C-alpha cells in the first residue's frame, strides 16, 4: 500500500495559500493532497490560533502541527488516461451528442464506480478536444495591481562566451507584471535553480517589490515532472517562494494561453532587443537588457492596453507589490 506524508513545507504551503484565500479544492489541487487531508490541517491550524486573515504561523504553532506529519494510507493516484480511457467513447457521446455538462458526467461516472475529480475529468476532455464552445482567442480579465506576474523562458540566439571563447545559446528569463505590463529581461546560459533564483532576485530588485502570484512554465528546476493534472513544485523552488512570499502557479503544459502576456513578450524581446545587437559577454548583455526594459519596452504604447507600461507601473502598481 502507498503512503502519503505531509512534510513541514507542505503544511506551510497549505496555510500560506489558505491565507491567500485559496479554496479547499484549489489547495488540494496545488499540494496533491486530498481535500480531507487539507481540511484536517486547516482545522488543526485554527485550533493552534492560526487565522485566515492573520499573520503567518509562528515557529511554536508549526511545532504544534508537526505531529500531524504522520504517514498514513493514501489512495493510489491513477493517470487520467488509464482511469478514463475505457469510458472515452461514452464521455465523447455525453459531450458531443447529448450535450451534458461535465458535472453531470462526473455524477454518471461515479454511478458506474468510476470516481474521478472534476479537474481530472475537465483536463482529460480538453486534451481530447471534446470541449464544446468557442475556442478562439478571448482576452482575459485584467488582474489587480501587484496581483500577478507571468514568467517564461525564450531562446534569443547564439552569442560568443568570452570565458570559453565558444558560441553558446542565450536564453531569456522574462517576467511581465499582469496589470501594468511592465517587463524585466534576464539573459542566461543555463536554467538551473541557482540561475533562476539569481534572475528572480534581480527582477524583484528591478521592480522594487514582489507580486502576490507568479505564473510560470513547467521548467524542471521549479516543477518536478510536468503533470497535466497535479503539477508539483520542487522543494527548492517551493521553499524559495515561501521565503519571498509569493504563490507559485504552474501553467499547464503546452497551454500558452495560461500566460498570454509573457508569451507575446518573448518574440518582442528577441526581435527588438537581441537581434542585431552588439554584446560583450553575459554581464554586458544583462546591463543592456535592463536599459532596454526601461528605455524601450517600458515607455512604449502597449498594443492591448494602449497605455505606457512604465508609467502605469510607477503610478498604480509598484505601491501594491509585496515588499522586497
Amino acid at each position: 500500500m502507498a503512503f502519503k506524508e505531509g512534510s513541514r513545507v507542505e503544511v506551510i504551503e497549505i496555510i500560506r495559500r489558505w491565507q491567500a484565500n485559496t479554496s479547499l479544492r484549489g489547495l488540494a489541487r496545488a499540494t496533491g493532497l486530498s481535500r480531507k487531508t487539507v481540511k484536517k490541517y486547516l482545522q488543526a491550524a485554527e485550533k493552534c490560533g492560526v487565522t485566515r486573515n492573520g499573520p503567518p504561523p509562528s515557529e511554536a504553532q508549526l511545532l504544534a502541527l508537526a505531529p500531524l506529519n504522520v504517514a498514513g494510507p493514501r489512495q493510489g493516484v491513477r493517470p487520467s488516461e488509464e482511469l478514463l480511457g475505457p469510458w472515452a467513447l461514452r464521455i465523447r457521446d455525453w459531450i458531443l451528442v447529448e450535450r451534458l455538462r461535465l458535472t453531470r458526467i462526473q455524477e454518471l461516472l461515479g454511478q458506474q464506480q468510476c470516481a474521478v475529480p472534476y479537474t481530472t475529468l475537465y483536463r482529460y476532455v480538453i486534451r481530447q478536444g471534446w470541449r464544446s464552445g468557442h475556442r478562439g482567442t478571448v482576452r482575459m480579465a485584467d488582474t489587480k495591481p501587484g496581483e500577478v506576474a507571468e514568467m517564461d523562458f525564450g531562446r534569443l540566439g547564439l552569442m560568443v562566451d568570452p570565458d570559453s571563447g565558444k558560441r553558446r545559446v542565450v536564453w531569456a528569463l522574462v517576467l511581465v507584471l499582469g496589470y501594468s505590463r511592465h517587463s524585466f529581461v534576464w539573459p542566461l546560459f543555463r536554467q538551473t535553480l541557482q540561475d533562476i533564483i539569481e534572475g528572480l532576485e534581480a527582477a524583484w530588485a528591478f521592480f522594487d517589490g514582489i507580486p502576490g502570484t507568479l505564473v510560470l512554465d513547467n521548467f524542471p528546476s521549479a516543477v518536478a515532472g510536468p503533470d497535466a493534472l497535479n503539477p508539483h513544485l520542487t522543494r527548492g523552488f517551493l521553499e524559495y517562494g515561501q521565503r519571498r512570499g509569493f504563490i507559485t502557479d504552474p501553467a499547464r503544459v503546452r497551454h500558452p494561453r495560461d500566460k498570454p502576456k509573457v508569451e507575446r513578450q518573448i518574440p518582442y524581446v528577441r526581435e527588438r532587443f537581441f537581434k542585431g545587437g552588439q554584446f560583450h559577454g553575459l554581464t554586458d548583455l544583462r546591463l543592456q537588457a535592463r536599459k532596454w526594459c526601461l528605455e524601450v519596452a517600458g515607455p512604449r504604447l502597449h498594443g492591448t492596453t494602449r497605455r505606457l507600461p512604465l508609467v502605469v507601473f510607477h503610478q498604480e502598481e509598484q505601491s501594491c507589490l509585496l515588499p522586497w
Side-chain angles (χ1 to χ4, degrees):
M1 177 180 292
F3 290 88
K4 175 64 176 177
E5 180 177 353
S7 67
R8 175 190 175 93
V9 175
E10 284 179 326
V11 173
I12 296 174
E13 189 66 10
I14 289 172
I15 297 174
R16 197 165 68 101
R17 289 176 179 264
W18 174 62
Q19 290 181 330
N21 294 321
T22 303
S23 65
L24 189 63
R25 176 177 291 177
L27 290 171
R29 183 168 61 249
T31 60
L33 302 172
S34 68
R35 277 184 278 179
K36 184 177 180 180
T37 301
V38 171
K39 189 175 181 180
K40 178 187 71 174
Y41 281 124
L42 294 179
Q43 289 175 341
E46 289 180 323
K47 290 181 180 179
C48 293
V50 180
T51 61
R52 190 156 199 170
N53 298 321
S58 64
E59 187 65 26
Q61 290 171 326
L62 289 175
L63 289 175
L65 294 173
L68 292 177
N69 299 338
V70 179
R74 176 184 60 176
Q75 295 181 349
V77 178
R78 299 169 57 191
S80 60
E81 295 293 339
E82 178 185 350
L83 181 64
L84 297 174
W87 299 91
L89 295 179
R90 193 73 189 96
I91 295 173
R92 185 191 63 184
D93 290 340
W94 279 334
I95 293 174
L96 301 180
V97 179
E98 301 181 35
R99 304 290 181 180
L100 297 182
R101 294 181 176 272
L102 290 185
T103 50
R104 177 55 179 160
I105 295 175
Q106 182 188 23
E107 293 176 354
L108 295 174
L109 289 173
Q111 294 174 5
Q112 300 296 324
Q113 308 304 315
C114 179
V116 58
Y118 178 88
T119 53
T120 300
L121 176 62
Y122 174 82
R123 291 178 177 176
Y124 177 80
V125 169
I126 292 296
R127 288 200 304 274
Q128 299 298 326
W130 299 333
R131 186 67 174 177
S132 59
H134 179 61
R135 302 181 66 84
T137 300
V138 178
R139 181 178 173 183
M140 299 177 65
D142 288 332
T143 56
K144 298 178 181 178
E147 185 177 22
V148 175
E150 296 178 2
M151 169 185 164
D152 201 3
F153 290 98
R155 188 181 188 274
L156 296 183
L158 295 173
M159 186 187 74
V160 176
D161 182 6
D163 295 332
S164 63
K166 298 180 180 179
R167 300 181 71 191
R168 299 184 63 179
V169 175
V170 180
W171 297 88
L173 184 159
V174 181
L175 280 93
V176 176
L177 296 177
Y179 180 80
S180 65
R181 305 301 205 274
H182 190 32
S183 60
F184 173 76
V185 178
W186 181 258
L188 67 173
F189 289 137
R190 304 175 304 172
Q191 298 180 21
T192 65
L193 180 62
Q194 179 179 351
D195 294 314
I196 290 163
I197 290 179
E198 181 185 8
L200 290 176
E201 288 295 294
W204 310 146
F206 178 78
F207 293 130
D208 194 24
I210 302 174
T213 299
L214 180 63
V215 180
L216 48 76
D217 207 354
N218 286 262
F219 55 93
S221 299
V223 181
D227 192 321
L229 305 178
N230 296 303
H232 292 284
L233 298 174
T234 61
R235 185 183 183 93
F237 197 86
L238 183 61
E239 290 181 336
Y240 173 69
Q242 292 177 356
R243 176 73 174 178
R244 283 306 187 197
F246 62 84
I247 300 295
T248 305
D249 184 12
R252 294 171 295 171
V253 181
R254 293 184 294 276
H255 280 73
R257 294 179 186 176
D258 287 0
K259 43 183 174 54
K261 301 178 181 67
V262 73
E263 287 283 346
R264 297 297 301 166
Q265 191 77 354
I266 297 295
Y268 178 68
V269 172
R270 185 186 303 116
E271 295 294 328
R272 295 294 302 275
F273 166 65
F274 187 79
K275 285 189 175 181
Q278 297 294 325
F279 311 108
H280 307 286
L282 192 59
T283 301
D284 177 58
L285 181 59
R286 289 172 175 172
L287 291 174
Q288 291 195 42
R290 176 188 177 87
K291 182 179 180 181
W292 179 84
C293 291
L294 293 173
E295 298 181 1
V296 178
R300 82 190 190 281
L301 183 66
H302 194 275
T304 301
T305 64
R306 312 307 298 173
R307 305 173 74 186
L308 308 181
L310 187 59
V311 174
V312 178
F313 170 73
H314 284 303
Q315 293 182 352
E316 303 178 31
E317 186 161 36
Q318 187 174 28
S319 61
C320 299
L321 294 173
L322 300 173
W324 176 70

